[in-house]
Amino acid sequence: PKYIVLMGLPGSSKSTFAHHLARTFGYEHANQDEMGHRSCVDFVGRMSASAGRGERRGLIVDCTNVTASHRPEWLRVMHEPQGVARVVFEIPVDAARVNHPTTPFGRGERIGRGFAKQWEPPTEEERSRFSCVHILRSRSDTTRLLNQWGVHV
C-alpha cells in the first residue's frame, strides 16, 4: 500500500514496523511521538499530497490513535486518498515495551496502562474507509505482515 496508518499502544512496535517499511521502500515516516501533534499533522498533509503526485513512494502515519474520535483526522489531513491500509497493533499492554524511547524512565508501564484504558477498537465504519485492515496481536503477526509486504526481518 502507498499509505499506511498505524494504531496501537505505546511500545507495541509501531515505530519499529514503520522503520522497517521506510528503510526498505523509502516511505516517509510521520512519527507523532517524535514530531509532536501539530508538526506531524502538517508533515502528513504535505507528504500525502506529494505522494499523490508521485513525488514520494509512500507515507506511514505512526501514532497511538487509541480513540475513535482521533482517528478520522488522519484521513482528512491526507485528503482522503484511496488505498490506505490500517495496521492495528493489538499487543497486550503486558507485552508492550516499557522502556520506550519517548517515555520518561520508569513510567512506561503506567503510561501504557493509561492508554490501554482509553483503547477503542476500530469500528465497522472506520474499517470501511480503509482498503484493508490488518490486526496484529503478537510479534510474530508483525513479522509475518512485514514479510508478506516484502520486508525481511
Side-chain angles (χ1 to χ4, degrees), residues 3 7 30 32 35 43 60 76 83 92 97 101 108 112 126 148 152:
Y3 306 96
M7 66 180 277
Q32 183 173 289
M35 303 171 108
F43 183 79
I60 306 160
R76 282 192 307 272
R97 235 176 69 203
E126 283 183 277
Q148 182 182 334
H152 301 288

Side-chain angles (χ1 to χ4, degrees), residues 25-135:
F25 299 117
Y27 283 18
E28 298 297 327
H29 177 196
N31 184 325
Q32 183 173 289
D33 286 348
E34 294 174 0
M35 303 171 108
H37 183 74
R38 184 176 295 263
S39 293
C40 191
V41 166
D42 182 55
F43 183 79
V44 167
R46 287 192 332 269
M47 292 303 109
S48 64
S50 185
R53 293 189 301 269
E55 299 166 0
R56 304 271 183 229
R57 300 210 43 181
L59 174 66
I60 306 160
V61 178
D62 177 357
C63 176
T64 55
N65 289 309
V66 295
T67 61
S69 63
H70 288 112
R71 296 190 287 257
E73 173 184 29
W74 296 112
L75 290 175
R76 282 192 307 272
V77 169
M78 296 167 73
H79 312 289
E80 305 281 342
Q82 298 297 309
V84 181
R86 162 66 55 84
V87 180
V88 181
F89 291 77
E90 285 190 355
I91 307 295
V93 70
D94 293 337
R97 235 176 69 203
V98 296
N99 62 340
H100 193 272
T102 60
T103 302
F105 182 76
R107 295 182 45 206
E109 185 175 351
R110 186 169 58 87
I111 290 170
R113 291 195 187 287
F115 274 97
K117 287 178 185 174
Q118 298 175 43
W119 177 261
E120 297 173 6
T123 65
E124 285 305 314
E125 189 276 327
E126 283 183 277
R127 288 173 181 260
S128 71
R129 297 180 70 193
F130 291 88
S131 63
C132 58
V133 176
H134 299 275
I135 308 291

